[in-house]
Amino acid sequence: MAIIPENTIKIKAPAKINLTLDVTGRRNDGYHNLEMVMQTVSVYDELEVSILQENPKKPVVFNMDKELPDKIPPEKNLVYKAASLMIEKYNIKNSFNIFLKKNIPAAAGLAGGSTDCAATLIAINRMCQLGLTDEELCQTGVLLGADVPYCIKKGTMLSQGIGDILSPLPALGQVWIVLVNPGIAVSTAYVYKHLELDKFPCHPGTNKMIKAIQENNIPCIASCMFNVMETVTIKEYPVLDEIKKFLEGSGAAGALMSGSGPTVFGIFENENKAREAYHKAKEEYNNFSIILCHTVQS
């Protein structure tokens, strides 16, 4: 494929939170069926993707500003995998140098790896003028991870299936959020393995959450927040329940664990309350990662 690319693209990759997360059953292929209301927030990793003028032995040169907790080699990172897949699938003759500045806590339930992967697909599509639609990018992205299609589309979204069936919801207005990440390593595989689907006392009211979003009713959104994975992760790490209670006691309309954890977020009715809770959390949990942010649509 003949390509006249841009030389360099800088792109932001936003984190996500789960306003609801329900596991509705186990599939024959071993995966679980999910139903989630997902929301993009204003915490961003930053990618710089450049065309290499001289092709190295490897088609992708990938570096980042910090080592991740799992210390995986560059070739195992989703950014590297995304670039390699695009090169192979679309017969791209260029080589890429990719640098990732990591701001989203790793392995935190915030889709940090998936959003970096999505940003890589978007950047290469744009700089190589491939002309792929978001839907076409999603078809490639789901090969790399179930959350990648959502991270391509972003915003306020109902996610079903394994996370690959996406239905846009009315855009949620700016809601202020405090994220608290205690730096615990949570295994998603462990959480799924220990979920007892037949023992859930209740499930998220997805339709109630959608109605609350339509009305931009923060107290109602807070009352509808639910994550079935808390039944495993909080049992294993009680500090997460402590953080939830701390945020609610500090003015949050509601608090919830995102994804399989360990990040807990609180949502607030206004910026002032969120800032007060943020500063209070910084004092209370000075060894944790505390982030003040808000909802965004892209």
Side-chain angles (χ1 to χ4, degrees):
M1 176 179 290
I3 298 171
I4 306 175
E6 296 182 44
N7 288 329
T8 300
I9 278 183
K10 294 182 179 180
I11 188 168
K12 289 184 175 181
K16 66 84 186 168
I17 57 173
N18 296 89
L19 295 175
T20 67
L21 195 164
D22 194 11
V23 179
T24 59
R26 188 176 179 88
R27 297 155 52 111
N28 292 333
D29 59 9
Y31 289 94
H32 289 79
N33 280 318
L34 307 172
E35 186 169 85
M36 306 177 286
V37 175
M38 304 172 79
Q39 175 62 51
T40 313
V41 296
S42 61
V43 186
Y44 303 91
D45 285 347
E46 301 169 60
L47 274 84
E48 182 173 304
V49 184
S50 303
I51 297 291
L52 288 171
Q53 299 304 317
E54 296 182 6
N55 289 352
K57 293 181 180 179
K58 292 183 178 181
V60 181
V61 177
F62 172 63
N63 293 285
M64 54 194 305
D65 68 336
K66 63 186 68 170
E67 188 174 56
L68 298 182
D70 53 13
K71 299 181 180 180
I72 62 172
E75 293 81 5
K76 298 289 186 179
N77 191 285
L78 281 174
V79 169
Y80 187 99
K81 289 183 176 181
S84 299
L85 180 58
M86 291 289 277
I87 289 169
E88 179 183 354
K89 187 170 183 178
Y90 297 102
N91 194 28
I92 297 171
K93 302 304 181 185
N94 302 98
S95 298
F96 298 97
N97 182 53
I98 305 175
F99 181 77
L100 171 63
K101 183 180 179 183
K102 196 75 184 153
N103 300 312
I104 302 170
L110 300 172
S114 294
T115 193
D116 296 340
C117 178
T120 305
L121 299 177
I122 292 167
I124 291 177
N125 179 47
R126 187 183 304 166
M127 71 193 310
C128 293
Q129 301 174 6
L130 300 178
L132 302 172
T133 65
D134 282 353
E135 291 298 335
E136 289 171 320
L137 285 177
C138 286
Q139 290 170 14
T140 299
V142 76
L143 301 175
L144 297 161
D147 278 347
V148 177
Y150 167 77
C151 292
I152 290 169
K153 293 194 171 183
K154 310 179 185 68
T156 313
M157 198 81 63
L158 174 64
S159 176
Q160 296 171 299
I162 61 170
D164 58 328
I165 303 171
L166 300 171
S167 304
L169 298 176
L172 184 61
Q174 189 179 84
V175 178
W176 284 87
I177 294 166
V178 175
L179 305 175
V180 180
N181 179 275
I184 297 166
V186 175
S187 166
T188 300
Y190 174 90
V191 175
Y192 275 115
K193 182 179 178 180
H194 289 84
L195 277 174
E196 298 181 282
L197 300 180
D198 58 334
K199 294 184 179 180
F200 288 163
C202 58
H203 288 263
T206 304
N207 291 334
K208 289 182 180 179
M209 175 60 78
I210 292 171
K211 186 174 185 295
I213 290 171
Q214 290 171 336
E215 297 172 352
N216 205 42
N217 186 328
I218 295 175
C220 191
I221 290 170
S223 70
C224 293
M225 295 193 317
F226 194 91
N227 182 348
V228 297
M229 290 190 174
E230 287 188 339
T231 60
V232 177
T233 309
I234 288 181
K235 184 178 180 181
E236 190 75 11
Y237 304 104
V239 68
L240 303 183
D241 192 46
E242 176 193 315
I243 295 169
K244 287 181 65 176
K245 291 174 181 175
F246 171 84
L247 288 169
E248 290 169 347
S250 301
L256 191 72
M257 184 183 79
S258 185
S260 57
T263 302
V264 174
F265 67 91
I267 68 169
F268 293 81
E269 294 191 61
N270 59 62
E271 181 180 354
N272 288 338
K273 285 185 178 181
R275 288 192 179 277
E276 288 175 8
Y278 166 75
H279 291 298
K280 190 175 177 181
K282 294 277 282 186
E283 293 179 4
E284 181 73 16
Y285 300 110
N286 54 25
N287 293 322
F288 293 177
S289 177
I290 316 293
I291 301 172
L292 177 68
C293 61
H294 56 78
T295 57
V296 293
Q297 294 303 311
S298 63

